[in-house]
Coordinates of all heavy atoms in Angstrom, one line a residue:
M11 N 137.5 130.5 169.4 CA 138.4 131.1 168.4 C 139.6 130.1 168.3 O 140.1 129.6 169.3 CB 138.9 132.4 168.9 CG 139.9 133.0 168.0 SD 140.0 134.8 168.1 CE 138.3 135.3 167.7
N12 N 140.1 129.9 167.1 CA 141.2 129.0 166.9 C 142.4 129.8 166.4 O 142.3 131.0 166.1 CB 140.9 127.8 166.0 CG 140.5 128.3 164.6 OD1 141.1 129.2 164.1 ND2 139.5 127.6 164.0
K13 N 143.5 129.1 166.3 CA 144.8 129.7 165.9 C 144.7 130.3 164.5 O 145.3 131.4 164.2 CB 145.9 128.7 166.0 CG 147.3 129.3 165.9 CD 148.3 128.3 166.2 CE 149.7 128.9 166.6 NZ 150.6 128.0 167.1
E14 N 144.0 129.7 163.6 CA 143.9 130.2 162.2 C 143.1 131.5 162.2 O 143.5 132.5 161.5 CB 143.1 129.2 161.3 CG 143.0 129.7 159.9 CD 142.3 128.6 159.0 OE1 142.3 127.5 159.3 OE2 141.9 129.1 157.9
E15 N 142.0 131.6 163.0 CA 141.3 132.9 163.1 C 142.1 134.0 163.8 O 142.1 135.1 163.3 CB 140.0 132.7 164.0 CG 139.0 131.8 163.3 CD 137.9 131.4 164.3 OE1 138.2 131.1 165.5 OE2 136.7 131.3 163.8
I16 N 142.9 133.6 164.7 CA 143.8 134.6 165.4 C 144.9 135.1 164.4 O 145.2 136.3 164.3 CB 144.5 134.0 166.6 CG1 143.5 133.7 167.7 CG2 145.6 134.9 167.2 CD1 143.9 132.9 168.9
T17 N 145.4 134.1 163.6 CA 146.4 134.5 162.6 C 145.8 135.5 161.6 O 146.4 136.5 161.3 CB 146.9 133.2 161.8 OG1 147.5 132.4 162.8 CG2 147.9 133.6 160.7
I18 N 144.6 135.2 161.1 CA 144.0 136.1 160.1 C 143.8 137.5 160.7 O 144.0 138.5 160.1 CB 142.6 135.5 159.6 CG1 142.9 134.2 158.8 CG2 141.8 136.5 158.9 CD1 141.7 133.4 158.5
R19 N 143.3 137.5 161.9 CA 143.0 138.8 162.6 C 144.3 139.6 162.8 O 144.4 140.8 162.6 CB 142.3 138.6 163.9 CG 141.8 139.9 164.5 CD 140.6 139.7 165.4 NE 140.1 141.0 165.9 CZ 139.4 141.1 167.0 NH1 139.1 140.0 167.7 NH2 139.0 142.3 167.4
V20 N 145.4 138.9 163.3 CA 146.7 139.6 163.5 C 147.2 140.2 162.2 O 147.7 141.3 162.2 CB 147.7 138.7 164.2 CG1 149.1 139.3 164.2 CG2 147.3 138.4 165.6
L21 N 147.2 139.4 161.1 CA 147.6 139.9 159.8 C 146.8 141.1 159.4 O 147.3 142.1 158.9 CB 147.6 138.8 158.8 CG 148.5 137.6 159.0 CD1 148.4 136.5 158.0 CD2 150.0 138.0 159.1
S22 N 145.5 141.1 159.6 CA 144.6 142.2 159.3 C 145.0 143.4 160.1 O 145.1 144.5 159.6 CB 143.2 141.8 159.5 OG 142.3 142.9 159.3
I23 N 145.2 143.2 161.4 CA 145.6 144.3 162.3 C 146.9 144.9 161.8 O 147.1 146.2 161.7 CB 145.7 143.9 163.7 CG1 144.4 143.6 164.3 CG2 146.5 144.9 164.6 CD1 144.4 142.8 165.7
M24 N 147.9 144.1 161.4 CA 149.2 144.6 161.0 C 149.0 145.4 159.7 O 149.6 146.4 159.5 CB 150.1 143.4 160.7 CG 150.6 142.8 162.0 SD 151.8 141.5 161.7 CE 153.2 142.5 161.2
S25 N 148.2 144.9 158.8 CA 148.0 145.6 157.5 C 147.3 147.0 157.8 O 147.7 147.9 157.1 CB 147.1 144.8 156.6 OG 146.8 145.4 155.4
S26 N 146.5 147.0 158.7 CA 145.8 148.3 159.1 C 146.8 149.3 159.7 O 146.8 150.5 159.5 CB 144.7 148.1 160.1 OG 143.7 147.3 159.5
L27 N 147.7 148.7 160.6 CA 148.7 149.6 161.3 C 149.8 150.1 160.4 O 150.2 151.2 160.5 CB 149.3 148.8 162.4 CG 148.7 148.6 163.7 CD1 149.5 147.7 164.7 CD2 148.5 150.0 164.4
F28 N 150.2 149.2 159.5 CA 151.4 149.5 158.7 C 151.0 149.7 157.2 O 151.0 148.7 156.5 CB 152.5 148.5 158.9 CG 152.8 148.2 160.4 CD1 152.5 146.9 160.9 CD2 153.3 149.2 161.2 CE1 152.8 146.6 162.2 CE2 153.5 148.9 162.5 CZ 153.3 147.6 163.1
D29 N 150.6 150.9 156.9 CA 150.1 151.1 155.5 C 151.0 150.7 154.4 O 150.6 150.4 153.3 CB 149.8 152.6 155.4 CG 148.7 153.1 156.3 OD1 147.9 152.3 156.7 OD2 148.7 154.3 156.6
N30 N 152.3 150.6 154.7 CA 153.3 150.3 153.7 C 153.4 148.8 153.4 O 154.2 148.3 152.6 CB 154.7 150.9 154.0 CG 155.2 150.4 155.3 OD1 154.4 150.1 156.2 ND2 156.5 150.2 155.4
I31 N 152.7 148.0 154.2 CA 152.7 146.5 154.1 C 151.4 146.0 153.7 O 150.4 145.9 154.5 CB 153.1 145.8 155.4 CG1 154.4 146.4 156.0 CG2 153.2 144.3 155.3 CD1 154.8 145.9 157.4
P32 N 151.2 145.6 152.4 CA 149.9 145.1 151.9 C 149.6 143.8 152.6 O 150.5 142.9 152.8 CB 150.1 144.9 150.4 CG 151.4 145.6 150.1 CD 152.2 145.7 151.3
E33 N 148.3 143.6 152.9 CA 147.9 142.4 153.7 C 148.2 141.2 152.9 O 148.5 140.1 153.5 CB 146.4 142.5 154.0 CG 145.9 141.4 154.9 CD 144.5 141.6 155.4 OE1 143.9 142.6 155.1 OE2 144.1 140.7 156.2
D34 N 148.1 141.2 151.6 CA 148.3 140.0 150.8 C 149.7 139.6 150.7 O 150.1 138.5 150.2 CB 147.7 140.1 149.4 CG 148.3 141.3 148.6 OD1 149.1 142.1 149.1 OD2 148.0 141.3 147.4
T35 N 150.7 140.4 151.2 CA 152.1 140.0 151.3 C 152.5 139.5 152.7 O 153.6 139.0 152.8 CB 153.0 141.2 150.9 OG1 152.9 142.2 151.9 CG2 152.7 141.7 149.5
L36 N 151.6 139.6 153.6 CA 151.9 139.2 155.0 C 151.7 137.7 155.2 O 150.7 137.2 154.8 CB 151.0 139.9 156.0 CG 151.3 141.4 156.2 CD1 150.3 142.0 157.1 CD2 152.7 141.6 156.8
T37 N 152.7 137.0 155.7 CA 152.6 135.6 156.0 C 153.3 135.4 157.4 O 154.2 136.2 157.8 CB 153.4 134.7 155.0 OG1 154.7 135.1 154.9 CG2 152.7 134.8 153.6
P38 N 152.8 134.4 158.1 CA 153.3 134.2 159.5 C 154.8 134.0 159.6 O 155.4 134.3 160.6 CB 152.6 133.0 160.0 CG 151.3 133.0 159.2 CD 151.7 133.5 157.8
D39 N 155.5 133.5 158.5 CA 156.9 133.2 158.6 C 157.8 134.5 158.5 O 159.0 134.4 158.7 CB 157.3 132.2 157.6 CG 157.1 132.7 156.2 OD1 156.0 133.3 155.9 OD2 157.9 132.4 155.3
L40 N 157.2 135.6 158.2 CA 158.0 136.8 158.0 C 158.6 137.4 159.3 O 157.9 137.3 160.4 CB 157.2 138.0 157.4 CG 156.7 137.7 155.9 CD1 155.8 138.8 155.5 CD2 157.9 137.5 155.0
S41 N 159.8 137.9 159.2 CA 160.5 138.5 160.4 C 160.1 139.9 160.5 O 160.0 140.6 159.5 CB 162.0 138.4 160.2 OG 162.7 139.3 161.1
F42 N 159.8 140.4 161.7 CA 159.4 141.8 161.9 C 160.5 142.7 161.4 O 160.2 143.7 160.8 CB 159.2 142.0 163.4 CG 157.9 141.4 164.0 CD1 158.0 140.5 165.1 CD2 156.7 141.6 163.4 CE1 156.9 140.0 165.6 CE2 155.5 141.1 164.0 CZ 155.6 140.2 165.0
K43 N 161.7 142.4 161.8 CA 162.8 143.4 161.4 C 163.4 143.2 160.0 O 163.4 144.1 159.2 CB 163.9 143.4 162.5 CG 163.4 143.9 163.8 CD 164.5 144.0 164.8 CE 163.8 144.5 166.1 NZ 164.7 145.0 167.1
S44 N 163.9 142.0 159.8 CA 164.6 141.8 158.5 C 163.7 141.7 157.3 O 164.0 142.2 156.2 CB 165.5 140.5 158.6 OG 164.7 139.4 158.8
D45 N 162.5 141.1 157.4 CA 161.6 141.0 156.3 C 160.7 142.3 156.1 O 160.4 142.7 155.0 CB 160.7 139.8 156.4 CG 161.5 138.5 156.2 OD1 162.5 138.5 155.5 OD2 161.1 137.5 156.9
L46 N 160.2 142.8 157.3 CA 159.2 143.9 157.2 C 159.8 145.2 157.6 O 159.1 146.3 157.4 CB 158.0 143.6 158.2 CG 157.3 142.3 157.9 CD1 156.3 142.0 158.9 CD2 156.6 142.4 156.5
G47 N 161.0 145.3 158.1 CA 161.6 146.5 158.5 C 161.0 147.2 159.6 O 161.1 148.5 159.7
L48 N 160.4 146.5 160.5 CA 159.7 147.1 161.6 C 160.7 147.4 162.8 O 161.6 146.7 163.0 CB 158.6 146.2 162.2 CG 157.4 145.9 161.2 CD1 156.4 145.0 161.9 CD2 156.8 147.2 160.7
E49 N 160.5 148.5 163.4 CA 161.3 148.9 164.6 C 160.6 148.6 165.9 O 159.4 148.2 165.9 CB 161.5 150.5 164.5 CG 162.1 150.9 163.2 CD 163.6 150.5 163.1 OE1 164.3 150.3 164.1 OE2 164.0 150.3 161.9
S50 N 161.3 148.8 167.0 CA 160.7 148.5 168.3 C 159.4 149.2 168.5 O 158.5 148.6 169.1 CB 161.7 148.8 169.4 OG 162.8 148.0 169.3
I51 N 159.3 150.5 168.1 CA 158.1 151.2 168.3 C 156.9 150.6 167.5 O 155.8 150.7 168.0 CB 158.3 152.7 168.0 CG1 157.1 153.6 168.4 CG2 158.6 152.9 166.5 CD1 157.0 153.8 169.9
D52 N 157.2 150.1 166.4 CA 156.2 149.4 165.6 C 155.7 148.2 166.3 O 154.5 147.9 166.3 CB 156.8 149.0 164.2 CG 157.2 150.2 163.4 OD1 156.5 151.2 163.4 OD2 158.3 150.1 162.7
I53 N 156.6 147.4 166.9 CA 156.1 146.2 167.7 C 155.3 146.7 168.9 O 154.3 146.0 169.2 CB 157.4 145.4 168.2 CG1 158.3 145.1 167.0 CG2 156.9 144.2 169.0 CD1 157.7 144.3 165.9
I54 N 155.6 147.8 169.5 CA 154.8 148.3 170.6 C 153.4 148.6 170.1 O 152.4 148.3 170.7 CB 155.5 149.5 171.3 CG1 156.8 149.0 172.0 CG2 154.6 150.2 172.2 CD1 157.7 150.1 172.5
D55 N 153.4 149.3 168.9 CA 152.0 149.6 168.4 C 151.2 148.4 168.1 O 150.0 148.3 168.3 CB 152.2 150.4 167.1 CG 152.7 151.8 167.3 OD1 152.7 152.3 168.4 OD2 153.2 152.4 166.3
L56 N 151.9 147.4 167.5 CA 151.2 146.1 167.3 C 150.7 145.5 168.5 O 149.5 145.0 168.6 CB 152.1 145.1 166.5 CG 151.6 143.7 166.3 CD1 150.4 143.7 165.4 CD2 152.7 142.8 165.7
V57 N 151.5 145.4 169.6 CA 151.1 144.8 170.8 C 149.9 145.6 171.4 O 148.9 144.9 171.8 CB 152.3 144.9 171.8 CG1 151.8 144.6 173.3 CG2 153.4 143.8 171.4
M58 N 149.9 146.9 171.4 CA 148.8 147.7 171.9 C 147.5 147.4 171.1 O 146.5 147.3 171.7 CB 149.2 149.1 172.0 CG 150.2 149.4 173.0 SD 150.7 151.2 173.3 CE 150.2 152.0 171.9
A59 N 147.7 147.3 169.8 CA 146.5 147.1 168.9 C 145.9 145.7 169.2 O 144.7 145.6 169.3 CB 146.9 147.2 167.5
V60 N 146.7 144.7 169.4 CA 146.3 143.3 169.6 C 145.7 143.3 171.0 O 144.6 142.6 171.2 CB 147.4 142.3 169.4 CG1 147.0 140.9 169.9 CG2 147.8 142.2 167.9
E61 N 146.3 143.9 172.0 CA 145.7 144.0 173.4 C 144.3 144.5 173.3 O 143.4 144.0 174.0 CB 146.6 144.8 174.3 CG 147.9 144.1 174.7 CD 148.7 145.0 175.6 OE1 148.7 146.2 175.4 OE2 149.4 144.4 176.5
T62 N 144.1 145.6 172.6 CA 142.8 146.2 172.5 C 141.8 145.3 171.7 O 140.7 145.1 172.2 CB 142.9 147.6 171.7 OG1 143.8 148.4 172.5 CG2 141.6 148.2 171.6
A63 N 142.3 144.7 170.7 CA 141.4 143.9 169.9 C 140.9 142.7 170.6 O 139.7 142.2 170.5 CB 142.1 143.4 168.6
Y64 N 141.7 142.1 171.5 CA 141.4 140.9 172.2 C 141.1 141.1 173.7 O 140.8 140.1 174.4 CB 142.5 139.8 172.0 CG 142.5 139.2 170.6 CD1 143.5 139.5 169.7 CD2 141.5 138.4 170.2 CE1 143.6 138.9 168.5 CE2 141.5 137.8 168.9 CZ 142.6 138.1 168.1 OH 142.6 137.5 166.8
N65 N 141.3 142.3 174.2 CA 141.1 142.6 175.6 C 142.0 141.7 176.4 O 141.6 141.0 177.4 CB 139.6 142.5 176.0 CG 139.4 143.1 177.4 OD1 140.1 144.0 177.8 ND2 138.5 142.5 178.1
I66 N 143.3 141.7 176.0 CA 144.3 140.9 176.8 C 145.4 141.8 177.2 O 145.5 142.9 176.7 CB 144.8 139.7 175.9 CG1 145.5 140.2 174.6 CG2 143.7 138.7 175.7 CD1 146.2 139.1 173.8
S67 N 146.3 141.3 178.0 CA 147.5 142.0 178.4 C 148.7 141.2 178.0 O 148.8 140.0 178.3 CB 147.5 142.2 179.9 OG 148.7 142.9 180.3
I68 N 149.6 141.8 177.2 CA 150.8 141.1 176.7 C 152.0 141.7 177.4 O 152.2 142.9 177.5 CB 150.9 141.4 175.2 CG1 149.7 140.8 174.4 CG2 152.2 140.8 174.6 CD1 149.6 141.1 173.0
D69 N 152.9 140.8 177.9 CA 154.1 141.2 178.6 C 155.1 141.8 177.5 O 155.5 141.1 176.6 CB 154.7 140.0 179.3 CG 156.0 140.3 180.0 OD1 156.7 141.2 179.6 OD2 156.2 139.7 181.1
M70 N 155.3 143.1 177.6 CA 156.2 143.7 176.6 C 157.6 143.2 176.6 O 158.2 143.1 175.5 CB 156.2 145.2 176.9 CG 156.7 146.1 175.8 SD 155.8 145.9 174.2 CE 154.3 146.7 174.6
T71 N 158.1 142.8 177.7 CA 159.5 142.2 177.7 C 159.5 140.9 176.8 O 160.4 140.8 176.0 CB 159.9 141.9 179.1 OG1 159.8 143.0 179.9 CG2 161.3 141.4 179.2
N72 N 158.5 140.1 177.0 CA 158.5 138.9 176.2 C 158.2 139.2 174.7 O 158.8 138.6 173.8 CB 157.4 137.9 176.7 CG 157.8 137.3 178.0 OD1 159.0 137.2 178.4 ND2 156.8 136.9 178.8
A73 N 157.3 140.1 174.5 CA 156.9 140.5 173.1 C 158.1 141.0 172.3 O 158.3 140.7 171.1 CB 155.8 141.5 173.1
K74 N 159.0 141.7 172.9 CA 160.2 142.3 172.2 C 161.2 141.2 171.8 O 161.9 141.4 170.9 CB 160.9 143.3 173.1 CG 160.2 144.6 173.3 CD 160.9 145.6 174.1 CE 160.2 146.9 174.3 NZ 160.9 147.8 175.2
S75 N 161.1 140.0 172.4 CA 162.0 139.0 172.0 C 161.5 138.1 170.9 O 162.2 137.3 170.3 CB 162.3 138.1 173.2 OG 161.2 137.4 173.6
L76 N 160.3 138.3 170.5 CA 159.7 137.6 169.4 C 160.1 138.1 168.1 O 160.1 139.4 167.9 CB 158.1 137.6 169.5 CG 157.6 137.1 170.8 CD1 156.1 137.4 170.9 CD2 157.9 135.7 171.1
T77 N 160.5 137.3 167.1 CA 161.2 137.8 165.9 C 160.3 137.7 164.7 O 160.5 138.4 163.7 CB 162.5 137.1 165.6 OG1 162.3 135.7 165.5 CG2 163.5 137.3 166.7
T78 N 159.3 136.7 164.7 CA 158.5 136.6 163.5 C 157.0 136.7 163.9 O 156.6 136.7 165.0 CB 158.6 135.2 162.8 OG1 158.1 134.2 163.7 CG2 160.1 134.8 162.5
I79 N 156.2 136.9 162.8 CA 154.8 137.0 163.1 C 154.3 135.7 163.7 O 153.5 135.8 164.6 CB 154.0 137.3 161.7 CG1 154.5 138.6 161.1 CG2 152.5 137.3 161.9 CD1 153.9 138.9 159.7
Q80 N 154.8 134.6 163.3 CA 154.4 133.3 163.9 C 154.7 133.2 165.3 O 153.9 132.8 166.1 CB 155.0 132.1 163.1 CG 154.4 130.8 163.5 CD 152.9 130.7 163.2 OE1 152.5 130.8 162.1 NE2 152.1 130.5 164.2
D81 N 155.9 133.7 165.7 CA 156.3 133.7 167.1 C 155.3 134.5 167.9 O 154.9 134.1 169.0 CB 157.7 134.4 167.3 CG 158.8 133.6 166.7 OD1 158.7 132.4 166.5 OD2 159.9 134.2 166.5
F82 N 154.9 135.7 167.4 CA 153.9 136.5 168.1 C 152.6 135.8 168.2 O 152.0 135.8 169.3 CB 153.8 137.9 167.3 CG 152.9 138.9 168.0 CD1 153.3 139.5 169.1 CD2 151.6 139.1 167.4 CE1 152.5 140.4 169.7 CE2 150.8 140.1 168.0 CZ 151.2 140.7 169.2
I83 N 152.1 135.2 167.1 CA 150.8 134.5 167.1 C 150.9 133.3 168.1 O 149.9 133.1 168.9 CB 150.5 134.0 165.7 CG1 150.1 135.2 164.8 CG2 149.3 133.0 165.8 CD1 150.1 134.9 163.4
D84 N 152.0 132.6 168.1 CA 152.1 131.5 169.1 C 152.1 132.0 170.5 O 151.5 131.3 171.4 CB 153.4 130.7 168.8 CG 153.5 130.0 167.5 OD1 152.4 129.7 167.0 OD2 154.6 129.6 167.1
Y85 N 152.7 133.2 170.7 CA 152.7 133.7 172.1 C 151.3 134.2 172.6 O 151.0 134.0 173.7 CB 153.7 134.9 172.1 CG 153.8 135.5 173.5 CD1 154.5 134.9 174.5 CD2 153.2 136.8 173.7 CE1 154.5 135.5 175.8 CE2 153.3 137.4 174.9 CZ 153.9 136.7 176.0 OH 154.0 137.3 177.2
I86 N 150.6 134.8 171.7 CA 149.3 135.4 172.1 C 148.1 134.4 172.1 O 147.1 134.6 172.8 CB 148.9 136.6 171.3 CG1 148.5 136.3 169.9 CG2 149.9 137.7 171.4 CD1 147.8 137.4 169.1
T87 N 148.3 133.3 171.3 CA 147.1 132.4 171.2 C 146.6 131.9 172.5 O 145.4 131.9 172.8 CB 147.5 131.2 170.2 OG1 147.7 131.8 168.9 CG2 146.4 130.2 170.2
P88 N 147.5 131.4 173.4 CA 147.0 130.9 174.7 C 146.3 132.1 175.5 O 145.3 131.9 176.2 CB 148.2 130.4 175.5 CG 149.3 130.3 174.5 CD 148.9 131.2 173.3
L89 N 146.8 133.3 175.4 CA 146.2 134.4 176.1 C 144.8 134.7 175.6 O 143.9 135.0 176.3 CB 147.1 135.7 175.9 CG 148.5 135.6 176.4 CD1 149.3 136.8 176.0 CD2 148.5 135.5 177.9
V90 N 144.7 134.6 174.2 CA 143.4 134.9 173.6 C 142.4 133.8 174.0 O 141.2 134.1 174.3 CB 143.5 135.0 172.1 CG1 142.2 135.1 171.4 CG2 144.4 136.3 171.7
I91 N 142.8 132.6 173.8 CA 141.9 131.4 174.1 C 141.5 131.4 175.6 O 140.3 131.2 175.9 CB 142.5 130.1 173.7 CG1 142.6 130.1 172.1 CG2 141.8 128.9 174.2 CD1 143.4 129.0 171.6
N92 N 142.4 131.8 176.5 CA 142.0 131.8 177.9 C 141.1 132.9 178.2 O 140.4 132.9 179.2 CB 143.3 131.9 178.8 CG 144.1 130.6 178.8 OD1 143.5 129.5 178.6 ND2 145.4 130.7 179.0
E93 N 141.1 134.0 177.4 CA 140.3 135.1 177.7 C 138.8 134.9 177.3 O 137.9 135.5 177.7 CB 140.8 136.4 176.9 CG 140.2 137.7 177.3 CD 140.3 138.0 178.7 OE1 141.3 137.7 179.4 OE2 139.4 138.7 179.3
E94 N 138.6 133.9 176.4 CA 137.2 133.6 175.9 C 136.4 133.0 177.0 O 136.8 132.4 177.9 CB 137.3 132.6 174.7 CG 137.9 133.2 173.5 CD 137.9 132.2 172.3 OE1 138.1 131.0 172.6 OE2 137.9 132.7 171.2

């Protein structure tokens, strides 16, 4: 699995989780809060969905400090690749 595949899957997961955000409008450079209007609880939901999808464990303290979708993807990519 490579970073592009991870990006596509994360965007798909986000689109499924957040019905008000169409998948075709999601791009990695978007900010969780200012661009998408997501709250902390939404980030927790995203983390849990990605943990389930990839069978990984994400440190919630670190995840809360990530501000964009790309930051999140950059953070989880080594975890996903190491899990393979």
Side-chain angles (χ1 to χ4, degrees):
M11 179 157 302
N12 62 37
K13 195 170 195 170
E14 183 178 341
E15 293 169 323
I16 293 168
T17 299
I18 291 167
R19 189 160 183 199
V20 167
L21 295 177
S22 176
I23 290 169
M24 289 184 70
S25 178
S26 297
L27 276 177
F28 311 117
D29 296 333
N30 59 327
I31 305 172
E33 187 170 1
D34 61 351
T35 64
L36 288 173
T37 58
D39 62 319
L40 294 176
S41 164
F42 289 124
K43 291 185 183 192
S44 61
D45 294 327
L46 300 173
L48 299 180
E49 303 291 330
S50 294
I51 190 73
D52 298 318
I53 305 303
I54 292 168
D55 289 343
L56 173 62
V57 166
M58 291 186 338
V60 169
E61 284 179 327
T62 300
Y64 287 111
N65 194 30
I66 59 173
S67 180
I68 298 170
D69 182 326
M70 194 59 70
T71 305
N72 292 335
K74 286 181 182 178
S75 69
L76 305 173
T77 58
T78 67
I79 297 171
Q80 189 63 58
D81 291 342
F82 184 73
I83 291 166
D84 291 343
Y85 180 73
I86 68 163
T87 296
L89 300 172
V90 171
I91 291 172
N92 287 337
E93 190 60 32
E94 292 182 327

